[in-house]
C-alpha cells in the first residue's frame, strides 16, 4: 500500500521546505521507498533534496510533440511505438534516483493548444509509477485544484502550510474547505503554521480554533534554513539538532505515525 502525502498553501509559505524535511525524516526512519513529485512549475524540490534534475514531465511532453512525424504520425521514426510506451520510457529516464527517494518534476504546465490526451496518459503513468513506492510526496503548487489535474490517486494526508498571520490562516482554511469539491478524496488534512517566532498570539490561536482542520503543529523561523537556502545547500543535510527539523519530526510523529500510516 502506498501512502500519499500532499502539501498545499500559498507561494512562499514553506511547502518545499516542509516536503524536503518530511522526506528526510522518512528516509532516516527507514520508512520505505519514496517518490517525490515536484508539482510546482518552478521546480526546486530537487535543490532542497540535493538531487539532480535534467528533464521535467513538461519537457517530455514538448519533446514528444516535436518528435511526431507530421505525415504518418509515428514517434521517433518508429511507426509501432505508441504514445504511452514513448512517454513511459521517457519518464523512466527522467526519474532522478537518490538512495531511498526518486524525484519527478512536473515542470511547466501545458502551453497553448490542447494536450489533454497526452496529459491524461502522463497522469496515468505517474499514478501507476507511484504505486510501486511506499510513499508518494507531492509538493504542490498553490491551489488545490492543480492536485486533481496532476493525479487521480487519493491523498491520505494533506498538510496545508501557512505563515503565522490571521490572513494566512484564514486563507489556509479556505484551501482546506476546497478539498470537498475535488474529484480526489483527501482522507486527512492538517494545518501547519510555519515561521513562528515566540508564542502564537491570542488572535492567531483563535483563528486556528475556528477552522475545520486541526493544527498539526508549528515550525519556528530558523536561520539555519535561510543560510542553507542562501548557499544552495540541500535541506536534507540539516543536522539532527536543527530546530526546524525537530518540529517537522514532531508533526510527522503526530500526524503519520500515531495515525497508523506505516512508517
Ligand atoms: N521555518 C523557516 N525558517 C526560515 N526560513 C524559512 C522557513 N520556512 C521557509 N523558509 C524560507 O522561505 C522561503 C520559501 O520557502 P519554500 O519552502 O520554498 O516555500 P513554498 O514551497 O511554499 O513556495 C525559502 O527561501 C525558505 O528558505
Ligand atoms: Mg515550493
Amino acid at each position: 500500500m502506498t501512502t500519499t502525502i500532499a502539501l498545499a498553501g500559498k507561494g512562499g509559505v514553506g511547502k518545499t521546505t516542509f516536503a524536503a524535511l518530511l522526506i528526510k525524516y522518512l528516509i532516516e526512519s527507514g520508512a520505505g521507498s519514496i517518490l517525490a513529485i515536484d508539482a510546482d512549475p518552478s521546480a526546486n524540490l530537487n535543490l532542497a533534496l540535493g538531487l539532480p534534475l535534467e528533464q521535467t514531465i513538461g519537457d517530455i511532453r514538448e519533446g514528444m510533440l516535436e518528435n511526431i512525424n507530421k505525415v504518418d504520425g509515428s514517434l521517433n521514426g518508429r511507426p509501432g511505438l505508441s504514445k504511452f510506451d514513448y512517454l513511459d520510457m521517457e519518464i523512466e529516464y527522467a526519474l532522478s534516483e537518490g538512495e531511498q527517494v526518486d524525484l519527478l518534476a512536473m515542470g511547466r504546465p501545458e502551453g497553448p493548444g490542447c494536450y489533454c490526451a497526452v496529459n491524461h496518459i502522463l497522469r496515468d503513468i505517474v499514478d501507476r509509477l507511484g504505486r510501486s513506492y511506499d510513499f508518494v510526496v507531492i509538493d504542490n503548487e498553490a491551489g488545490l485544484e492543480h492536485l486533481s489535474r496532476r493525479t487521480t490517486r487519493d491523498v491520505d494526508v494533506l498538510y496545508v502550510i501557512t505563515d503565522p498571520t490571521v490572513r494566512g490562516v484564514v486563507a489556509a482554511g479556505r484551501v482546506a474547505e476546497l478539498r470537498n469539491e475535488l474529484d480526489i478524496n483527501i482522507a486527512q488534512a492538517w494545518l501547519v503554521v510555519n515561521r513562528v517566532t515566540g508564542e502564537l498570539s491570542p488572535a492567531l490561536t483563535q483563528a486556528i480554533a475556528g477552522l475545520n482542520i486541526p493544527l498539526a503543529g508549528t515550525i519556528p523561523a530558523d536561520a539555519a534554513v535561510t543560510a542553507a537556502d542562501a548557499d544552495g545547500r540541500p535541506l536534507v543535510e540539516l543536522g539532527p539538532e536543527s530546530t526546524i527539523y525537530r518540529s517537522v519530526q514532531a508533526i510527522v510523529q503526530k500526524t503519520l505515525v500515531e495515525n497508523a500510516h506505516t512508517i
Side-chain angles (χ1 to χ4, degrees):
M1 273 288 282
T2 306
T3 300
T4 302
I5 302 166
L7 287 310
K10 284 187 306 183
V13 289
K15 296 181 293 295
T16 301
T17 304
F18 185 83
L21 294 173
L22 164 73
I23 289 168
K24 174 180 165 73
Y25 182 60
L26 292 177
I27 293 172
E28 287 176 2
S29 51
S33 56
I34 307 155
L35 175 65
I37 299 181
D38 189 347
D40 191 327
S42 56
N44 59 45
L45 181 61
N46 61 306
L47 297 175
L49 293 174
L51 288 172
L53 175 65
E54 272 151 33
Q55 260 215 120
T56 67
I57 301 268
D59 298 332
I60 293 172
R61 184 184 52 230
E62 308 297 320
M64 186 187 81
L65 297 173
E66 281 163 22
N67 284 328
I68 296 179
N69 186 307
K70 301 270 183 314
V71 180
D72 63 7
S74 67
L75 268 166
N76 273 3
R78 289 171 55 188
L81 185 64
S82 71
K83 281 187 180 137
F84 183 94
D85 288 339
Y86 173 93
L87 292 168
D88 195 36
M89 221 163 55
E90 291 290 314
I91 288 178
E92 193 65 40
Y93 288 142
L95 213 54
S96 177
E97 296 180 7
E99 257 170 49
Q100 275 178 70
V101 55
D102 292 345
L103 172 78
L104 261 189
M106 302 307 290
R108 61 207 139 121
E110 45 289 10
C114 186
Y115 304 157
C116 309
V118 180
N119 284 327
H120 270 112
I121 299 175
L122 287 168
R123 195 169 66 172
D124 288 348
I125 294 172
V126 174
D127 282 349
R128 207 192 38 172
L129 181 71
R131 284 200 283 275
S132 58
Y133 292 83
D134 296 307
F135 291 89
V136 173
V137 179
I138 308 173
D139 181 12
N140 200 30
E141 58 187 302
L144 259 195
E145 66 281 7
H146 301 291
L147 193 62
S148 54
R149 276 203 286 126
R150 300 293 195 197
T151 184
T152 54
R153 63 172 47 251
D154 287 342
V155 171
D156 297 290
V157 183
L158 172 76
Y159 296 104
V160 183
I161 320 282
T162 177
D163 53 23
T165 66
V166 171
R167 268 201 291 145
V169 164
V170 169
R174 289 217 188 88
V175 169
E177 270 162 28
L178 269 180
R179 76 182 191 270
N180 302 321
E181 292 167 23
L182 301 179
D183 49 10
I184 54 173
N185 183 40
I186 295 174
Q188 291 173 22
W190 294 91
L191 182 74
V192 174
V193 185
N194 186 23
R195 289 180 167 231
V196 172
T197 45
E199 299 282 304
L200 293 183
S201 72
L204 206 52
T205 308
Q206 200 184 352
I208 294 168
L211 299 183
N212 59 1
I213 51 168
L215 179 66
T218 63
I219 298 175
D222 187 344
V225 174
T226 321
D229 277 339
D231 299 344
R233 271 182 287 121
L235 296 180
V236 287
E237 288 173 11
L238 289 177
E241 72 296 342
S242 144
T243 49
I244 185 170
Y245 183 45
R246 299 238 301 260
S247 323
V248 172
Q249 275 180 311
I251 290 171
V252 177
Q253 289 277 350
K254 171 172 172 174
T255 53
L256 283 183
V257 184
E258 291 174 19
N259 281 284
H261 292 285
T262 36
I263 185 169

